[in-house]
Short mmCIF file of all heavy atoms in Angstrom, two decimals:
data_model
loop_
_atom_site.label_atom_id
_atom_site.label_comp_id
_atom_site.label_asym_id
_atom_site.label_seq_id
_atom_site.Cartn_x
_atom_site.Cartn_y
_atom_site.Cartn_z
N TYR A 1 109.33 -73.17 0.87
CA TYR A 1 109.52 -74.42 0.15
C TYR A 1 110.84 -74.38 -0.63
O TYR A 1 111.42 -73.31 -0.84
CB TYR A 1 108.36 -74.67 -0.83
CG TYR A 1 108.34 -73.71 -2.01
CD1 TYR A 1 108.95 -74.05 -3.22
CD2 TYR A 1 107.74 -72.46 -1.90
CE1 TYR A 1 108.95 -73.17 -4.29
CE2 TYR A 1 107.73 -71.58 -2.97
CZ TYR A 1 108.34 -71.94 -4.15
OH TYR A 1 108.34 -71.06 -5.21
N GLY A 2 111.29 -75.57 -1.04
CA GLY A 2 112.50 -75.66 -1.87
C GLY A 2 113.68 -76.18 -1.08
O GLY A 2 113.62 -76.42 0.12
N GLY A 3 114.80 -76.35 -1.79
CA GLY A 3 116.03 -76.78 -1.14
C GLY A 3 115.91 -78.15 -0.52
O GLY A 3 115.34 -79.08 -1.10
N HIS A 4 116.39 -78.29 0.71
CA HIS A 4 116.38 -79.58 1.41
C HIS A 4 115.18 -79.67 2.34
O HIS A 4 115.33 -80.13 3.48
CB HIS A 4 117.68 -79.76 2.19
CG HIS A 4 118.92 -79.68 1.36
ND1 HIS A 4 119.71 -78.56 1.31
CD2 HIS A 4 119.46 -80.57 0.50
CE1 HIS A 4 120.72 -78.78 0.49
NE2 HIS A 4 120.59 -79.98 -0.01
N GLU A 5 114.03 -79.24 1.89
CA GLU A 5 112.86 -79.24 2.77
C GLU A 5 112.61 -80.64 3.33
O GLU A 5 112.43 -81.60 2.57
CB GLU A 5 111.62 -78.75 2.01
CG GLU A 5 110.39 -78.67 2.89
CD GLU A 5 109.19 -78.04 2.19
OE1 GLU A 5 109.32 -77.64 1.03
OE2 GLU A 5 108.13 -77.96 2.83
N PRO A 6 112.56 -80.77 4.66
CA PRO A 6 112.41 -82.10 5.26
C PRO A 6 110.96 -82.55 5.39
O PRO A 6 110.70 -83.72 5.67
CB PRO A 6 113.03 -81.91 6.65
CG PRO A 6 112.75 -80.48 6.98
CD PRO A 6 112.81 -79.73 5.67
N PHE A 7 110.02 -81.62 5.21
CA PHE A 7 108.61 -81.94 5.48
C PHE A 7 107.94 -82.43 4.19
O PHE A 7 107.30 -81.67 3.47
CB PHE A 7 107.89 -80.72 6.03
CG PHE A 7 108.60 -80.09 7.20
CD1 PHE A 7 109.22 -78.85 7.07
CD2 PHE A 7 108.69 -80.75 8.42
CE1 PHE A 7 109.89 -78.29 8.13
CE2 PHE A 7 109.36 -80.19 9.49
CZ PHE A 7 109.97 -78.95 9.35
N LYS A 8 108.12 -83.71 3.92
CA LYS A 8 107.68 -84.27 2.64
C LYS A 8 106.16 -84.34 2.51
O LYS A 8 105.65 -84.54 1.40
CB LYS A 8 108.28 -85.67 2.45
CG LYS A 8 109.80 -85.69 2.51
CD LYS A 8 110.44 -84.71 1.54
CE LYS A 8 111.95 -84.74 1.63
NZ LYS A 8 112.59 -83.70 0.76
N ASN A 9 105.44 -84.17 3.62
CA ASN A 9 103.98 -84.20 3.55
C ASN A 9 103.39 -82.80 3.32
O ASN A 9 102.18 -82.65 3.20
CB ASN A 9 103.39 -84.81 4.82
CG ASN A 9 103.75 -84.02 6.07
OD1 ASN A 9 104.77 -83.34 6.10
ND2 ASN A 9 102.92 -84.11 7.10
N HIS A 10 104.24 -81.76 3.29
CA HIS A 10 103.75 -80.43 2.98
C HIS A 10 103.30 -80.36 1.52
O HIS A 10 103.76 -81.14 0.68
CB HIS A 10 104.83 -79.38 3.24
CG HIS A 10 105.01 -79.07 4.70
ND1 HIS A 10 105.83 -78.09 5.17
CD2 HIS A 10 104.43 -79.64 5.81
CE1 HIS A 10 105.77 -78.05 6.49
NE2 HIS A 10 104.93 -78.98 6.89
N LEU A 11 102.44 -79.40 1.23
CA LEU A 11 101.74 -79.37 -0.05
C LEU A 11 102.66 -79.49 -1.27
O LEU A 11 102.48 -80.39 -2.10
CB LEU A 11 100.92 -78.07 -0.15
CG LEU A 11 100.17 -77.87 -1.47
CD1 LEU A 11 99.11 -78.95 -1.65
CD2 LEU A 11 99.54 -76.48 -1.51
N ILE A 12 103.63 -78.60 -1.39
CA ILE A 12 104.43 -78.56 -2.61
C ILE A 12 105.31 -79.80 -2.78
O ILE A 12 105.27 -80.45 -3.84
CB ILE A 12 105.24 -77.26 -2.69
CG1 ILE A 12 104.28 -76.07 -2.89
CG2 ILE A 12 106.28 -77.30 -3.81
CD1 ILE A 12 104.94 -74.71 -2.93
N PRO A 13 106.13 -80.20 -1.78
CA PRO A 13 106.93 -81.42 -1.98
C PRO A 13 106.07 -82.67 -2.15
O PRO A 13 106.43 -83.57 -2.93
CB PRO A 13 107.79 -81.50 -0.71
CG PRO A 13 107.13 -80.62 0.28
CD PRO A 13 106.45 -79.55 -0.50
N TYR A 14 104.92 -82.72 -1.45
CA TYR A 14 104.04 -83.89 -1.60
C TYR A 14 103.51 -84.00 -3.02
O TYR A 14 103.54 -85.08 -3.62
CB TYR A 14 102.88 -83.80 -0.61
CG TYR A 14 101.72 -84.72 -0.93
CD1 TYR A 14 101.82 -86.09 -0.70
CD2 TYR A 14 100.55 -84.22 -1.49
CE1 TYR A 14 100.77 -86.95 -1.02
CE2 TYR A 14 99.49 -85.06 -1.81
CZ TYR A 14 99.60 -86.43 -1.58
OH TYR A 14 98.57 -87.27 -1.90
N MET A 15 103.02 -82.88 -3.55
CA MET A 15 102.47 -82.90 -4.90
C MET A 15 103.52 -83.26 -5.94
O MET A 15 103.28 -84.08 -6.85
CB MET A 15 101.85 -81.54 -5.23
CG MET A 15 100.56 -81.25 -4.49
SD MET A 15 99.25 -82.41 -4.97
CE MET A 15 98.02 -82.08 -3.70
N ILE A 16 104.69 -82.67 -5.82
CA ILE A 16 105.76 -82.96 -6.78
C ILE A 16 106.15 -84.43 -6.70
O ILE A 16 106.33 -85.10 -7.73
CB ILE A 16 106.98 -82.06 -6.51
CG1 ILE A 16 106.63 -80.60 -6.84
CG2 ILE A 16 108.19 -82.51 -7.33
CD1 ILE A 16 107.72 -79.61 -6.49
N SER A 17 106.26 -84.95 -5.49
CA SER A 17 106.64 -86.35 -5.30
C SER A 17 105.61 -87.29 -5.92
O SER A 17 105.97 -88.26 -6.60
CB SER A 17 106.79 -86.64 -3.81
OG SER A 17 107.01 -88.02 -3.59
N GLU A 18 104.32 -87.02 -5.70
CA GLU A 18 103.27 -87.89 -6.23
C GLU A 18 103.27 -87.88 -7.76
O GLU A 18 103.14 -88.93 -8.40
CB GLU A 18 101.90 -87.45 -5.70
CG GLU A 18 101.71 -87.66 -4.20
CD GLU A 18 101.81 -89.12 -3.80
OE1 GLU A 18 100.83 -89.86 -4.01
OE2 GLU A 18 102.88 -89.51 -3.29
N VAL A 19 103.42 -86.70 -8.33
CA VAL A 19 103.41 -86.60 -9.79
C VAL A 19 104.62 -87.32 -10.39
O VAL A 19 104.52 -88.00 -11.41
CB VAL A 19 103.38 -85.12 -10.22
CG1 VAL A 19 103.56 -85.00 -11.74
CG2 VAL A 19 102.07 -84.47 -9.81
N ARG A 20 105.78 -87.18 -9.74
CA ARG A 20 106.98 -87.86 -10.23
C ARG A 20 106.82 -89.38 -10.18
O ARG A 20 107.42 -90.10 -10.99
CB ARG A 20 108.20 -87.44 -9.41
CG ARG A 20 108.64 -86.01 -9.67
CD ARG A 20 109.84 -85.64 -8.84
NE ARG A 20 111.02 -86.39 -9.22
CZ ARG A 20 112.21 -86.29 -8.61
NH1 ARG A 20 112.32 -85.49 -7.57
NH2 ARG A 20 113.24 -86.99 -9.03
N LYS A 21 106.02 -89.86 -9.23
CA LYS A 21 105.78 -91.30 -9.11
C LYS A 21 104.66 -91.77 -10.05
O LYS A 21 104.25 -92.93 -9.96
CB LYS A 21 105.44 -91.65 -7.66
CG LYS A 21 106.60 -91.50 -6.69
CD LYS A 21 106.27 -92.00 -5.29
CE LYS A 21 105.16 -91.23 -4.63
NZ LYS A 21 104.96 -91.63 -3.21
N GLU A 22 104.17 -90.85 -10.90
CA GLU A 22 103.06 -91.18 -11.81
C GLU A 22 101.79 -91.50 -11.04
O GLU A 22 100.96 -92.31 -11.48
CB GLU A 22 103.43 -92.36 -12.72
CG GLU A 22 104.71 -92.18 -13.50
CD GLU A 22 104.52 -91.35 -14.77
OE1 GLU A 22 103.36 -91.06 -15.10
OE2 GLU A 22 105.52 -90.99 -15.39
N VAL A 23 101.63 -90.88 -9.87
CA VAL A 23 100.44 -91.08 -9.05
C VAL A 23 99.61 -89.81 -9.08
O VAL A 23 100.15 -88.70 -8.98
CB VAL A 23 100.82 -91.42 -7.59
CG1 VAL A 23 99.58 -91.51 -6.72
CG2 VAL A 23 101.61 -92.72 -7.55
N ALA A 24 98.31 -89.96 -9.25
CA ALA A 24 97.44 -88.79 -9.23
C ALA A 24 97.44 -88.18 -7.83
O ALA A 24 97.05 -88.86 -6.87
CB ALA A 24 96.03 -89.16 -9.64
N PRO A 25 97.88 -86.93 -7.66
CA PRO A 25 97.94 -86.33 -6.33
C PRO A 25 96.55 -86.05 -5.77
O PRO A 25 95.62 -85.74 -6.51
CB PRO A 25 98.71 -85.03 -6.55
CG PRO A 25 98.46 -84.69 -7.98
CD PRO A 25 98.35 -86.00 -8.71
N ILE A 26 96.41 -86.19 -4.47
CA ILE A 26 95.13 -85.95 -3.80
C ILE A 26 95.26 -84.70 -2.94
O ILE A 26 96.19 -84.57 -2.13
CB ILE A 26 94.74 -87.14 -2.92
CG1 ILE A 26 94.56 -88.40 -3.78
CG2 ILE A 26 93.48 -86.84 -2.13
CD1 ILE A 26 94.36 -89.66 -2.97
N ILE A 27 94.35 -83.76 -3.12
CA ILE A 27 94.35 -82.56 -2.29
C ILE A 27 93.68 -82.89 -0.96
O ILE A 27 92.54 -83.33 -0.92
CB ILE A 27 93.59 -81.40 -2.98
CG1 ILE A 27 94.34 -80.98 -4.23
CG2 ILE A 27 93.43 -80.22 -2.03
CD1 ILE A 27 93.64 -79.89 -5.03
N LYS A 28 94.44 -82.69 0.11
CA LYS A 28 93.92 -82.99 1.44
C LYS A 28 93.39 -81.69 2.05
O LYS A 28 94.12 -80.74 2.22
CB LYS A 28 95.03 -83.57 2.31
CG LYS A 28 95.65 -84.84 1.73
CD LYS A 28 96.86 -85.28 2.52
CE LYS A 28 97.51 -86.51 1.89
NZ LYS A 28 98.73 -86.92 2.62
N GLY A 29 92.13 -81.66 2.37
CA GLY A 29 91.56 -80.45 2.95
C GLY A 29 90.87 -79.60 1.90
O GLY A 29 90.47 -80.07 0.84
N ASN A 30 90.77 -78.32 2.17
CA ASN A 30 90.03 -77.38 1.34
C ASN A 30 90.87 -76.91 0.16
O ASN A 30 91.88 -76.22 0.35
CB ASN A 30 89.60 -76.19 2.21
CG ASN A 30 88.78 -75.18 1.43
OD1 ASN A 30 88.43 -75.40 0.26
ND2 ASN A 30 88.45 -74.08 2.08
N SER A 31 90.46 -77.24 -1.04
CA SER A 31 91.23 -76.85 -2.23
C SER A 31 91.15 -75.35 -2.51
O SER A 31 91.97 -74.81 -3.25
CB SER A 31 90.72 -77.62 -3.46
OG SER A 31 89.38 -77.26 -3.74
N ASN A 32 90.17 -74.67 -1.91
CA ASN A 32 90.03 -73.23 -2.11
C ASN A 32 90.77 -72.40 -1.05
O ASN A 32 90.76 -71.17 -1.10
CB ASN A 32 88.55 -72.83 -2.12
CG ASN A 32 87.81 -73.42 -3.31
OD1 ASN A 32 88.31 -73.38 -4.43
ND2 ASN A 32 86.64 -73.98 -3.07
#
C-alpha cells in the first residue's frame, strides 16, 4: 500500500478515502 496505488477499492485506500469523505467505512467480508 501507499504511493500512487491505483487499486482504490483495496482495503487501506478505500478506508482512507471513505473517512476523508466523512462517510462511515464499511468492512466488506470477514473483519477477523
Side-chain angles (χ1 to χ4, degrees):
Y1 69 94
H4 302 102
E5 183 174 358
F7 309 110
K8 303 306 180 185
N9 61 334
H10 283 186
L11 178 64
I12 292 177
Y14 164 74
M15 288 296 168
I16 292 174
S17 174
E18 292 299 282
V19 172
R20 289 180 66 182
K21 291 186 297 186
E22 305 278 352
V23 175
I26 298 172
I27 294 177
K28 302 172 183 178
N30 182 6
S31 64
N32 294 316

